[in-house]
Amino acid sequence: MIVRLFAALAVALLAALAAAQPVRAASLDQGFKAFLESEIWPEAKATGVPRPVFDAAFAGVSPDTSLPDLILPGGKDTVAEINFQAEFKSGADYLSERAVAGNVTTARKLRQRYAGVLGKIEQRYGVPAPIILAIWGRESAFGAAKIPMNAFEVLATKAWLSRRKELFRGELIAALQIVADGHLKVSEMKSSWAGALGQPQFMPSKFLKYAVDFDGDGRRDIWNSVPDTLASIANYLNAAGWQAGRDWGFEAMIPASVSCRGEGPDKTYRIADLVKAGVERVSGRPFPESESGRSGHLLFPAGRLGPSFVATPNFYVIKEYNNSDLYALFVGHVADRIQGAGPLKGGWKKTDRLTRGDVYRMQQKLVAKGADVGAVDGLAGFKTRRSIGEAERRLGLPESCWPSKALAARL
């Protein structure tokens, strides 16, 4: 009798949940349409977007609640436990020899094929061809990656429900402007899950600022034109402050006497002074004479548990393209390998298995103790790594500058 009663209750509960799903979906869709009409259309209209473009962009579009980092109506603003972006996961995976070597092999062939256009681009923008090729490979597998999502659905969903609504609201307006200006049809506006477009994976606002027509056909075509794609990448880096004639950085052996708490773009050292402090290149060669008297920065992408580097300001220019240390390292390392360098020599040591939520909660504790961790977002950026190193020093733990269960317990 009791078993049958529980079975009946379970069936009733499942039926109620099933009936509630269409109601919730309809409610979400109504709120979404109201948001587009009352908030996005007036702003789009003010920037010159015609109503037919607006209507075509959102015909049949509904909120995609499968996207990461959304706050559904009535939900709490919490960070996902899992990292969805590869750039913020394991350095050992992201910079694995398998991932790097494949890009290098293809990039070398393409460097020969497009030598003429790359030479002209480098002359105009001052950005080396290997750096451009490395970004092209990382972003879209040299144009081979499928980018299937509806850009307007992605951007509109994120403008309405994302933790960073204002950012995506601006990108949505920019996407509408791209169509209004005649660069693409609505049906051609395909993006990544983050709303990035074309082979260089520009956000729409970056397309409007930095995409260029390098092949002279009258269109800034980063979807189909290789010259436009490569020149647009170079133009972006040039505008971000690329210093022509400088390297991006060097893998280095950094002694324990030089603290990992000293890393970051806001802490600058003369490379010659770092050498005096015992910093050496892993290759055994001296730093280039042209770099010796210039500024450099310490970089510990996995704290003391991974390879370490002396970065130049150009490393942080690459981060303007994608704000991830691992991304910028991948680009710089692939560029070096294109020119004949070998694999990284520093290993990635085994670390505690922590989720993004674990790091988020650790950041909250550090902030409560007065630390500057940068954004409290569950990602171990350089300010979080420095704050961890300072907490470890204060608590008498070995200085690793990397999240650990031992530190979490002590905090």
Side-chain angles (χ1 to χ4, degrees), residues 305 352 354 362 388 392 397 400 402-411:
L305 304 178
D352 291 341
L354 299 174
M362 182 180 291
I388 287 172
E392 289 171 327
L397 296 171
S400 72
W402 192 250
S404 67
K405 291 180 179 178
L407 178 61
R410 294 290 296 275
L411 288 174

Side-chain angles (χ1 to χ4, degrees), residues 27 90 99 124 131 184 224 242 337 370 376 411:
S27 176
S90 162
R124 180 178 299 186
I131 292 288
L184 242 64
N224 305 296
W242 185 270
R337 295 283 292 275
V376 181
L411 288 174

Side-chain angles (χ1 to χ4, degrees), residues 113-233:
R113 183 186 305 176
Y114 297 109
V117 70
L118 283 166
K120 292 176 183 177
I121 290 170
E122 187 167 349
Q123 186 174 15
R124 180 178 299 186
Y125 297 105
V127 181
I131 292 288
I132 299 169
L133 290 166
I135 289 177
W136 188 24
R138 181 70 259 182
E139 292 295 343
S140 64
F142 307 101
K146 292 182 179 179
I147 305 169
M149 303 190 77
N150 181 325
F152 291 111
E153 187 163 87
V154 169
L155 293 169
T157 299
K158 286 180 171 284
W160 186 41
L161 298 174
S162 167
R163 296 175 66 245
R164 297 179 292 167
K165 292 181 177 66
E166 288 305 312
L167 182 152
F168 286 103
R169 186 178 183 130
E171 297 299 343
L172 178 58
I173 298 299
L176 289 165
Q177 289 176 311
I178 289 172
V179 175
D181 291 346
H183 295 292
L184 242 64
K185 299 175 183 176
V186 166
S187 61
E188 296 171 320
M189 288 289 285
K190 301 299 182 181
S191 77
S192 69
W193 63 263
L197 308 171
Q199 296 187 44
Q201 284 289 273
F202 280 1
M203 294 302 287
S205 63
K206 297 299 188 288
F207 172 89
L208 293 174
K209 287 182 180 179
Y210 304 121
V212 297
D213 172 22
F214 203 77
D215 61 13
D217 68 352
R219 298 182 67 220
R220 295 185 286 171
D221 186 1
I222 61 170
W223 293 268
N224 305 296
S225 169
V226 170
D228 288 5
T229 294
L230 300 181
S232 296
I233 292 170

